[in-house]
Amino acid sequence: MSVRRRISIALAAIFLAIGIWWLFCLPANLFDKPLSTIVLDRTGQLIGARIADDGQWRFPETDTVPVKFAACITTYEDGGFYSHPGISPGAMLRAAWQNVNRGGVVSGASTITMQIMRMSRSPKPRSIWQKLIEISWATRAEWRYSKDEILNLYASNAPFGGNVVGLDAAAWRYFNKPAYALSWSESAVLAVLPNAPGMIYPGRNPAELLRKRNGLLKDLRENEIISDEDYSLALLEDLPSTPLPLPENARHLLATAAKTKDGQRIELTIKSRLQNDATDILNRRLDDLRRNHINNGALLISDTETGEILAYVGNGKPFEDNDGTANDMIMTPRSSGSILKPFLFGAMIESGVLTPRQLVPDIPTQYSGFSPKNYDESYSGAVPAEEALARSLNIPAVRMLRDYGIPNFHKTLNEIGFTTITKSPGHYGLSLILGGAEVTLWDLVNAYRMMGNTLNRYPSHPPFISIGYSLNQRDTLPKYSIDAGACYSTADAMAMVTRPDERASWEVFGGSEKIAWKTGTSYGFRDAWAVGITAKYTVGVWVGNASGEGRPGITGLNAAAPVMFDIFNILPDTRWFMQPTAEFALANMCARSGMRASNICADIRSEQIPKTCLETPACNYCEWVHVDENEEYRVNTDCYPQSKIHTKSWFLLPPLEAWYYQRYNADYTRLPDWKADCNPQKSGNVMRMIYPREESSVFIPRELGGEKEKIVLKAAHTRPNAVIYWHINDEYIGVTSGFHQMEIQVPTGSYRLLMVDNTGETLITNIKVETK
Ligand SMILES: [Zn+2]
């Protein structure tokens, strides 16, 4: 083989090797530095950002470079950018010539593409060898990427002074706006920064920065990229001073989103203005509440129609160490208090076991050691179910749950989408309806929104499409929803303005908009809840202490509802739900019991009720009663001429219910007494007081060390299985069954002791408590 040929082969091999090296020289990923997590609202507005793990504000790459910045950066850094192959030989020769003349190292003449390669390889020292690698990579990159993609790589990774990397972060840090909204002047300022980020860090050397910006603006005008007018206006704009803080009204939202999308650009359905206003409202209310050591709160606003989250405020602003505000209380399970009651009401209507206005007993109640109390410890005897819901009475709710069945309701709650009710039905027992289970505000808002959305989407089921609702991992949709008729009845009950025990507060809330709402307060005043729904918005609020500490002011009505109404006040008013008329039917209802009328009921009204209620039992409160011709006494044929007997329909509650009911319902007429010698079951009083006797005094020792002596009351009943409900001065104090002894601790004075048994028989004893 000739020498020439050998040289040729060797050269070919070398070129081939270089070619292969060149082909594979460019790494797949030019940049693998840690990124900031950023959260954007529905319009692309930045609402929160977390610094990257290496302490840099380095936002994730975008897909486009704004036109103004692209024009500025190419004009300033690389005039031939759109035509060169990654390097600019002419410029390099010029630079080399200048460098040789000045005796320095090779510098300048770098195209934008080459600068990207240097950024990617930084912090490698500058040398001719490094320059050659940059050149190779740059030419190779031009093969792989389009010009737009290259410009985007540059904009995303260029240093902009301090710990600000990339155009997006810079636009926010220096101008508090997204990059696409930058003016010509602002774009020009940012275009000159990467060239010497240390030297002209904004705020440090304004004269130099101004000179460079104006120079670039002048070039833009000369290249006819901007008009004379744009130019003179741009010159008038101020330079940025110190870097601005990034928005931070979405701390918890950012943290929640970052759990699955760390280091990413997260676009959410949040409305940033609403997010800010909601944050302010919560903080303002918390300022007041903190005087009473109620430190934390959260609120969530969702679009009832689409399920989109419009505002997510996980807690109030921090005010001291360990103040609990670091906890995201939207995602933290807490005791539900009364906030689940509407779902029981709805489920029972759907199942056809309750009508909305059906009377539910509200009397002293005890189920194997569990004795629920109403908030004000009163008893109404019997109340329409919808009023019981609107007044949030506990006893009717427990009795309803017992009728409906704990496992049934447990299943309903799981199907609606409560993810934290994971224990068995038996674990919760009847307290399931009074806060025995923990729920998150997230699940709660989703569940109530679904109720509203069922009505919005009616009749085009399925109603539980949950577009955009998932913030990240919570993609599960409810498998089930309450039927539209039941939803409407529930929402209507929740919107009842007449709330007897809340009248004073109600007026404070004002507003004419019809809102279905419910509050909840957990045992021990630890959690205050309020949820409201309209056809357009679902708003949920929790207030309490993240530590779990209870405070007397933590009630749904006092702490959470005001925040919720503040939010509804800033939201546009919306219409009320349309009644799903096809799900309702006209039925004859007993006006007294709220049940379907029987043929005995006298006061009958024709009402629209959910179709599911058409099979509920007919009224069993109204009975035929025989009275004398003057309607003064009850009679029967044994003692009264049949021809003169009047037979009347009588609304008759069971005795214990009647005893309480008549105190609040003046129109309740007790049965007349039996006419003399007519009573078929005359028996005399079945109860007897053993200690103390009527009108006798009880002596207790003088108080020693503040401890009052206990008095033990004793009574007897003729029926061995009788139950006695004890009251002092009309206040219920407890119940005994079989063996009737009741301990009391009272100051000296006169008392009226009332016993009512389970058939409504009463015995009143007046006693006097004195000291020895
Ligand atoms: Zn009736």
Side-chain angles (χ1 to χ4, degrees), residues 692-700 711 713 727-731 744-754 764-771:
R693 295 302 179 97
E694 170 73 20
E695 298 296 354
S696 66
S697 290
V698 182
F699 291 96
I700 53 172
I711 304 165
L713 309 171
H727 305 72
I728 285 186
N729 292 348
D730 281 346
E731 203 164 295
I744 57 167
Q745 259 180 320
V746 289
T748 54
S750 293
Y751 296 95
R752 180 171 175 269
L753 176 66
L754 166 74
I764 293 169
T765 311
N766 293 299
I767 59 169
K768 218 174 196 174
V769 176
E770 296 175 63
T771 48

Side-chain angles (χ1 to χ4, degrees), residues 35-50 59-62 168 250-270 470-473:
L35 298 172
S36 297
T37 308
I38 66 167
V39 177
L40 307 171
D41 86 343
R42 62 200 298 132
T43 62
Q45 188 83 6
L46 185 72
I47 48 176
R50 178 194 276 174
F59 284 14
E61 257 178 47
T62 47
D168 273 9
R251 287 182 298 138
H252 300 93
L253 176 62
L254 178 64
T256 301
K259 273 183 198 154
T260 50
K261 297 189 172 179
D262 194 30
Q264 294 182 40
R265 170 184 308 273
I266 305 165
E267 288 165 8
L268 298 173
T269 52
I270 298 285
S470 64
L471 182 59
N472 43 46
Q473 78 277 24

Side-chain angles (χ1 to χ4, degrees), residues 177-437:
K177 57 170 77 165
Y180 64 78
L182 293 172
S183 69
W184 278 112
S185 161
E186 291 159 349
S187 302
V189 169
L190 294 185
V192 304
L193 282 185
N195 191 254
M199 199 179 74
I200 48 175
Y201 185 65
R204 247 182 242 169
N205 196 344
E208 176 71 354
L209 184 58
L210 188 69
R211 191 184 65 75
K212 292 204 173 204
R213 179 198 72 172
N214 292 353
L216 173 54
L217 288 170
K218 190 157 169 266
D219 289 346
L220 290 169
R221 187 193 53 173
E222 281 169 7
N223 294 345
E224 294 181 353
I225 292 169
I226 60 174
S227 66
D228 287 349
E229 196 190 349
D230 284 343
Y231 174 66
S232 25
L233 285 175
L235 288 179
L236 296 176
E237 283 186 35
D238 290 334
L239 292 179
S241 49
T242 49
L244 304 164
L246 293 171
E248 50 186 15
N249 269 346
R251 287 182 298 138
H252 300 93
L253 176 62
L254 178 64
T256 301
K259 273 183 198 154
T260 50
K261 297 189 172 179
D262 194 30
Q264 294 182 40
R265 170 184 308 273
I266 305 165
E267 288 165 8
L268 298 173
T269 52
I270 298 285
K271 289 186 168 176
S272 58
R273 249 188 75 188
L274 185 58
Q275 173 79 19
N276 293 344
D277 291 347
T279 305
D280 290 348
I281 283 171
L282 181 66
N283 282 329
R284 224 167 22 239
R285 288 282 179 181
L286 282 176
D287 281 347
D288 282 345
L289 292 166
R290 276 176 188 148
R291 277 182 232 135
N292 184 21
H293 303 284
I294 302 168
N295 295 332
N296 304 121
L299 78 87
L300 187 63
I301 307 175
S302 162
D303 183 317
T304 306
E305 286 170 359
T306 63
E308 292 171 343
I309 297 296
L310 306 177
Y312 181 114
V313 188
N315 212 318
K317 65 169 183 283
F319 63 99
E320 65 183 33
D321 288 349
N322 303 318
D323 59 6
T325 57
N327 299 286
D328 181 346
M329 299 311 290
I330 289 175
M331 295 298 186
T332 306
R334 300 290 297 218
S335 166
S336 60
S338 292
I339 203 75
L340 300 177
K341 283 177 184 168
F343 296 106
L344 176 61
F345 180 87
M348 288 182 80
I349 287 175
E350 173 166 37
S351 310
V353 295
L354 181 82
T355 67
R357 277 191 264 287
Q358 180 172 334
L359 287 179
V360 185
D362 181 20
I363 50 176
T365 297
Q366 200 170 33
Y367 294 127
S368 52
F370 177 59
S371 49
K373 299 264 184 300
N374 289 330
Y375 185 72
D376 60 1
E377 304 210 349
S378 71
Y379 305 91
S380 305
V383 276
E386 62 179 13
E387 185 190 324
L389 177 62
R391 287 169 59 193
S392 202
L393 297 174
N394 290 335
I395 293 168
V398 167
R399 297 183 79 104
M400 283 162 65
L401 176 57
R402 192 157 180 271
D403 286 351
Y404 186 58
I406 302 165
N408 287 340
F409 187 51
H410 182 271
K411 184 162 171 271
T412 302
L413 292 175
N414 276 308
E415 287 176 342
I416 287 172
F418 286 98
T419 55
T420 53
I421 302 180
T422 50
K423 305 233 169 61
S424 70
H427 170 88
Y428 301 109
L430 289 168
S431 74
L432 180 58
I433 197 64
L434 298 184

Side-chain angles (χ1 to χ4, degrees), residues 590 593 601 619 622:
C590 172
S593 69
C601 300
C619 174
C622 297

Side-chain angles (χ1 to χ4, degrees), residues 148-160:
D148 284 347
E149 286 168 339
I150 290 172
L151 207 55
N152 199 27
L153 274 175
Y154 181 90
S156 299
N157 295 288
F160 283 86

